[in-house]
Amino acid sequence: MNAHVRNADPKQLIKGATGDWEIVIGLEIHAQVTSQAKLFSGSSTAFGAEPNSHVSLVDAAMPGMLPVINEECVRQAVRTGLGLNAQINRRSVFDRKNYFYPDLPQGYQISQYKSPIVGEGEIIVDVSPTEQIKVGIERLHLEQDAGKSLHDQHPTMSFVDLNRSGVALMEIVSRPDLRSADEAKAYVTKLRTILRYLGTCDGDMEKGNLRADVNVSVRKPGAPFGTRCEIKNVNSIRFIGQAVDVEARRQIGILEDGGKIDQETRLYDPSKGETRSMRSKEEAHDYRYFPDPDLLPLEFDQALVDALKVALPELPDAKKARLIAQYGLSPYDAAVLVAEREQADFFEAVAKGRDGKAAANWVINELFGRLNKEGRDVTASPMSADQLGGIVDLIGEGVISGKIAKDLFEIVWNEGGDPRALVEARGMKQVTDTGAIEKVIDEVIAANPDKVEQAKAKPSMAGWFVGQVMKASGGKANPAAVNEILARKLGLS
Ligand code: ADP
Ligand code: MG
C-alpha cells in the first residue's frame, strides 16, 4: 500500500517539542450522485420536499420489497471513474453492510466492499496555480444514503425523514497522499470541480451533497505511518483544513507526552475548534459484509464505457492547458477561469476574436471582482459576454481609455445597454485630437510656471503634469498623446 509514499516538503512539517512531525491525510468523500431517482427505487431525489414524501416501499424497507439498480447511477459512477483516470471494473458486487440506526430501516446499507465499480485512479491537485501534486485514488464505490433523524421538532420525541433514504452516493477514497491542511483543501476543491464538470455531483456542501471523512495521522519524517483517527462528516472545505490542523496537534501532544493514539472515529466541532471522540473505530468484520442476495453482480460491456468516455466534456486540466496555449494566459489566470466550467465559458465568449489577455483581465479583475462583491456567480451576471466584449473592443480601438472603460463598465453593469452606443451618446470618447490636447497642456503650463522649472530639473515631475491634463480633460485625453506632447513642450524629449 505504501509503494509510492510521498514525503512532505520541509516547510509543511510541524515543530514539536521532540522535533519535526509530518501530517498524513487520506480522505473519503461522499458525493451524492446527480440523478432523478434513487439508487434502487424510482423515488425522486429532489431536495427540500415535505418529510417522507419521496419514499417508496423499497426505501422504507417494507418486507419482501426488491431493489432494482438505477442504470443512470451506474453511468454516473463510470463517468466519474473516467474523470478520475481510474480503472473501471465491468463486474462489481453490492454488499450489505449491517448496522442499526433509526434512520436506516433496512438494518443494513447496500454498499460495495471487496468489488467496487471503480478501482485505482489519480488526480492532479493544484496546490497553487503553478504547483501541482498527484494524489492517488484507491477506489470509488456506489452505496445508499441513509434517512435523517430529526431531534428538534418535538419536546419528547424524535422523528425520522426517509426522503434521503436510498439516494445514491459515490464514496471516493483517496490514498494517504496528502501532507497538509492546504493540500487536503486543494484536493477536495479539485475533486469537486471535476465532479461538477462531469455533472455527476453538484458538489453543494451546504446541502450535504458532498461531505468528507478526514483521516489524519502523524509521524516523524521517514517513519512508518502512525495510527489514524477518522473525523466524520466534515461539510465545508474550510472546516476540513481546520480539522486537520487541530487533530494533528492533538495527536502530537499525546505522542510527545509518551502516550499512544487510539484508532477512533471523531467529530470536529468548529465552534470549539476541537475534535472529540465519537466511538472507537469499527472494523470491517463488525459490519458482517456479505453480497446482497437480492442483487446480481453488476456487469456491463466495454461498449458502455467507451460510449461514456467519448461523450465526456473537456475536464479542468485539459481546459487549463488549452486556455494557456490558445489565449496566451498565465497559469494563474487560467486556473481562476477553469475553477467553474461556466466561468471558462464566459471568458471564451468574451475572448472570441479578441485579445485573450485583455479579455482575461476584464473578466477576472473587473467582472469576477464585481460579482464576488455582490455574492453572485457568473451565471447571474447582469453583464453579458457580448457587452463586456464590447468594452474590450472600445479600449483596443483606442476609442476610450482604460480609465473611462471603468466608468463605462459601471454604467453597463447598472443600466445595461450597448457599450458603443453609450460612449457615443454620453460623449465618453477619448480625445486623440492633438490640437485639443495641446490646448489643455498649454493652459496647464501657463498656470504653473514654477512647476515647469522643477520639471526641467527633475523629469519625473512630468507625471504631475500628466495628472493635471487628464483631470482637465475629464479623463478623456489619450494618455500616449499627452505624454508625447508634454515631453516636447517641457523640453524633455
Ligand atoms: P475505513 O473504511 O476503515 O475507513 P478505508 O480503507 O475505506 O477504511 O479508508 C481509509 C482512509 O484512510 C483512506 O482514505 C486512506 O487513505 C486513509 N488512511 C489510511 N491509513 C492512513 C494513515 N495512517 N494516516 C492517514 N490516513 C490514512
Ligand atoms: Mg471509512
Side-chain angles (χ1 to χ4, degrees):
M1 161 173 171
N2 299 344
H4 68 133
V5 177
R6 279 186 67 218
N7 291 316
D9 195 270
K11 67 175 193 295
Q12 295 176 314
L13 298 177
I14 296 187
K15 294 241 173 302
T18 60
D20 288 341
W21 292 90
E22 180 179 13
I23 312 180
V24 173
I25 307 151
L27 296 179
E28 296 157 78
I29 302 289
H30 288 95
Q32 184 179 318
V33 174
T34 300
S35 63
Q36 301 282 318
K38 295 183 180 180
L39 184 54
F40 298 113
S41 83
S43 307
S44 166
T45 59
F47 182 81
E50 274 293 293
N52 298 309
S53 59
H54 294 326
V55 185
S56 72
L57 296 171
V58 175
D59 311 321
M62 290 298 148
M65 292 300 113
L66 289 174
V68 178
I69 186 77
N70 175 347
E71 285 178 25
E72 177 57 12
C73 295
V74 174
R75 285 192 287 271
Q76 292 289 57
V78 172
R79 278 190 194 102
T80 306
L82 292 168
L84 303 178
N85 309 302
Q87 163 80 34
I88 306 299
N89 296 326
R90 281 167 38 215
R91 182 179 195 279
S92 64
V93 175
F94 284 105
D95 297 285
R96 290 187 181 179
K97 181 181 183 180
N98 298 281
Y99 64 97
F100 172 80
Y101 211 75
D103 61 20
L104 185 77
Q106 283 170 164
Y108 57 85
Q109 176 193 34
I110 304 179
S111 180
Q112 296 190 303
Y113 178 50
K114 289 214 169 115
S115 306
I117 184 167
V118 175
E120 291 188 12
E122 180 176 87
I123 65 172
I124 294 172
V125 172
D126 307 76
V127 184
S128 78
T130 51
E131 190 194 346
Q132 277 95 27
I133 57 170
K134 285 185 182 165
V135 176
I137 303 292
E138 261 172 36
R139 56 191 266 138
L140 174 157
H141 67 251
L142 279 169
E143 63 184 26
Q144 296 174 300
D145 206 346
K148 197 171 153 194
S149 297
L150 307 170
H151 302 297
D152 55 359
Q153 310 279 309
H154 189 277
T156 57
M157 284 190 280
S158 283
F159 296 146
V160 66
D161 174 7
L162 295 179
N163 281 350
R164 221 176 53 188
S165 167
V167 167
L169 299 178
M170 297 180 282
E171 177 169 335
I172 304 168
V173 182
S174 85
R175 287 189 169 280
D177 284 351
L178 299 156
R179 293 292 175 271
S180 69
D182 282 344
E183 287 188 4
K185 285 160 62 179
Y187 168 79
V188 180
T189 303
K190 184 60 173 283
L191 184 59
R192 180 175 177 277
T193 300
I194 294 172
L195 297 175
R196 286 172 57 80
Y197 268 63
L198 291 165
T200 58
C201 169
D202 68 13
D204 190 333
M205 298 186 80
E206 271 168 35
K207 288 191 186 141
N209 295 351
L210 191 146
R211 45 195 198 261
D213 296 346
V214 185
N215 294 271
V216 179
S217 66
V218 297
R219 63 170 175 174
K220 287 285 170 73
F225 282 162
T227 302
R228 70 182 151 114
C229 286
E230 178 179 4
I231 306 157
K232 273 279 176 202
N233 270 332
V234 188
N235 62 3
S236 90
I237 290 179
R238 192 159 54 94
F239 290 164
I240 290 171
Q242 292 172 3
V244 166
D245 281 333
V246 162
E247 176 60 15
R249 280 177 201 285
R250 185 189 73 87
Q251 293 183 13
I252 292 169
I254 292 173
L255 293 169
E256 295 201 322
D257 284 347
K260 73 177 212 358
I261 306 301
D262 295 323
Q263 187 169 345
E264 55 183 6
T265 302
R266 302 180 67 86
L267 274 185
Y268 176 60
D269 179 344
S271 65
K272 294 215 176 78
E274 62 180 32
T275 65
R276 59 174 176 270
S277 182
M278 224 173 121
R279 54 174 189 255
S280 67
K281 173 73 184 167
E282 63 289 338
E283 301 286 341
H285 62 247
D286 295 330
Y287 290 115
R288 304 270 180 243
Y289 278 101
F290 66 88
D292 192 312
D294 289 339
L295 288 158
L296 288 169
L298 175 62
E299 291 181 298
F300 45 83
D301 295 336
Q302 186 59 33
L304 173 79
V305 182
D306 295 342
L308 292 171
K309 187 164 189 169
V310 296
L312 288 183
E314 182 182 40
L315 291 173
D317 293 329
K319 199 183 278 292
K320 182 178 170 193
R322 182 173 62 75
L323 294 188
I324 292 171
Q326 185 174 339
Y327 300 98
L329 300 189
S330 67
Y332 180 87
D333 284 355
V336 171
L337 292 170
V338 303
E340 297 285 347
R341 189 170 165 177
E342 294 80 6
Q343 294 187 175
D345 289 348
F346 192 100
F347 162 74
E348 292 211 78
V350 175
K352 197 169 172 219
R354 302 192 172 95
D355 177 59
K357 280 186 187 161
N361 183 27
W362 277 83
V363 169
I364 293 171
N365 297 324
E366 302 307 321
L367 186 78
F368 291 176
R370 190 60 196 264
L371 288 167
N372 263 339
K373 217 157 87 191
E374 300 197 3
R376 304 195 201 191
D377 67 44
V378 73
T379 56
S381 171
M383 189 183 296
S384 69
D386 266 358
Q387 286 172 313
L388 187 57
I391 297 177
V392 174
D393 284 342
L394 292 166
I395 307 166
E397 294 164 19
V399 176
I400 54 174
S401 66
K403 188 172 166 303
I404 293 288
K406 292 195 180 177
D407 299 340
L408 180 60
F409 181 93
E410 280 305 304
I411 296 170
V412 176
W413 177 278
N414 291 313
E415 302 170 29
D418 172 47
R420 196 174 292 274
L422 283 164
V423 165
E424 201 60 56
R426 305 201 184 182
M428 297 171 82
K429 271 192 180 170
Q430 177 161 259
V431 179
T432 40
D433 169 359
T434 48
I437 294 173
E438 242 182 283
K439 190 161 159 276
V440 179
I441 290 179
D442 287 341
E443 283 164 15
V444 174
I445 286 180
N448 298 283
D450 52 327
K451 291 272 185 349
V452 174
E453 286 315 306
Q454 290 173 23
K456 284 190 172 145
K458 194 173 163 227
S460 60
M461 268 292 296
W464 182 85
F465 282 95
V466 175
Q468 295 301 304
V469 174
M470 292 308 286
K471 207 162 124 195
S473 73
K476 285 187 285 186
N478 179 322
V482 173
N483 277 319
E484 193 196 306
I485 300 169
L486 250 178
R488 179 157 50 77
K489 297 246 169 194
L490 292 172
L492 301 175
S493 59

